[in-house]
Amino acid sequence: MVPLALGMFIAVFVFGASLLGWYDPEGKVRLGLTMAFLFGVICGYRTRK
């Protein structure tokens, strides 16, 4: 599951603007994606314990 989630995150982070058509000159969408991924990793790690 981790490789799938990581692959999807990288694909959306790198190719999301061209695939989904967002306009992000200030980088706020990428910042939001990064934060959501990091919070998901933290929650997943805490749930496993």
Side-chain angles (χ1 to χ4, degrees), residues 3 13 16 20 23 25-26 29 31 39 42 44 47:
F13 191 83
L20 302 174
Y23 180 68
E26 298 171 359
V29 174
L31 177 64
F39 292 149
I42 291 169
T47 303

Side-chain angles (χ1 to χ4, degrees), residues 4-17:
L4 176 64
L6 185 60
M8 289 175 64
F9 169 73
I10 291 171
V12 170
F13 191 83
V14 174
F15 303 110

Side-chain angles (χ1 to χ4, degrees), residues 16-34:
S18 61
L19 292 174
L20 302 174
W22 68 60
Y23 180 68
D24 188 30
E26 298 171 359
K28 291 184 179 182
V29 174
R30 287 189 174 182
L31 177 64
L33 286 170
T34 303

